[in-house]
């Protein structure tokens, strides 16, 4: 079920479908929130452990420290309607901006960031209608 597919016709079955869509939307938002938490936690560990990829890079540590609480906030707010549907795509844009900022910080090898973009593309592909990834391609190219 896509996050952005909500068509009501006024019937009783539409209320059931609205609840299902809301449940699917909440799952998609929860998933990206947990991905933010995981990325922030792993990033913070690599920023503070000597020999880690981000060790000694203050900007990378700040970005990872921002990502972790944002993920927790997204998970806690997952049932709020303002994160469901098309507005939730801003979470993917935020993720791309974080990847681009981490890349610009120079803390890690640039080749590593392709995997993060693929993760974003897969998340968008699972939870949004076809062609949404194509619509995001200018943002992805800019990042």
């Amino acid at each position: 079920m896509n996050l952005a597919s909500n068509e009501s016709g006024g019937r009783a079955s539409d209320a059931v479908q609205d609840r299902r869509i809301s449940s699917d939307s909440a799952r998609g938002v929860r998933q990206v929130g947990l991905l933010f938490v995981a990325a922030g936690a792993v990033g913070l560990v690599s920023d503070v452990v000597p020999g880690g990829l981000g060790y000694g890079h203050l900007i990378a540590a700040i970005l990872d420290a921002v990502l972790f609480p944002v993920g927790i906030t997204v998970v806690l707010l997952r049932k709020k309607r303002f994160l469901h549907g098309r507005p939730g795509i801003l979470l993917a844009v935020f993720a791309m901006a974080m990847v681009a900022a981490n890349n610009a910080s120079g803390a890690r090898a640039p080749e590593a960031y392709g995997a993060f973009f693929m993760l974003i593309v897969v998340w968008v592909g699972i939870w949004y209608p076809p062609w949404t990834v194509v619509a995001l391609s200018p943002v992805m190219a800019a990042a």
Side-chain angles (χ1 to χ4, degrees):
M1 178 67 57
N2 292 328
L3 290 177
S5 62
N6 185 2
E7 299 175 13
S8 288
R11 297 182 310 224
S13 64
D14 289 337
V16 172
Q17 183 167 344
D18 285 347
R19 279 195 299 270
R20 190 177 79 231
I21 290 169
S22 179
S23 173
D24 287 345
S25 296
R27 284 193 340 223
V29 171
R30 178 178 169 263
Q31 186 180 53
V32 77
L34 291 175
L35 289 170
F36 287 165
V37 168
V42 170
L44 281 171
V45 168
S46 76
D47 293 336
V48 298
V49 173
L53 292 174
Y55 184 71
H57 289 89
L58 180 62
I59 294 172
I62 291 170
L63 291 170
D64 292 332
V66 166
L67 194 58
F68 188 79
V70 166
I72 291 173
T73 303
V74 168
V75 169
L76 293 175
L77 296 176
R78 71 185 178 273
K79 294 192 178 184
K80 301 294 181 186
R81 301 287 279 171
F82 68 88
L83 285 176
H84 297 190
R86 294 186 198 277
I89 201 70
L90 294 176
L91 296 170
V93 173
F94 172 75
M96 288 181 226
M98 291 299 287
V99 171
N102 264 303
N103 187 21
S105 76
R108 295 169 184 88
E111 298 83 23
Y113 294 103
F116 294 109
F117 281 110
M118 289 309 301
L119 185 61
I120 295 166
V121 166
V122 168
W123 180 79
V124 170
I126 290 171
W127 294 107
Y128 287 90
W131 298 101
T132 304
V133 172
V134 174
L136 282 175
S137 60
V139 176
M140 199 172 304

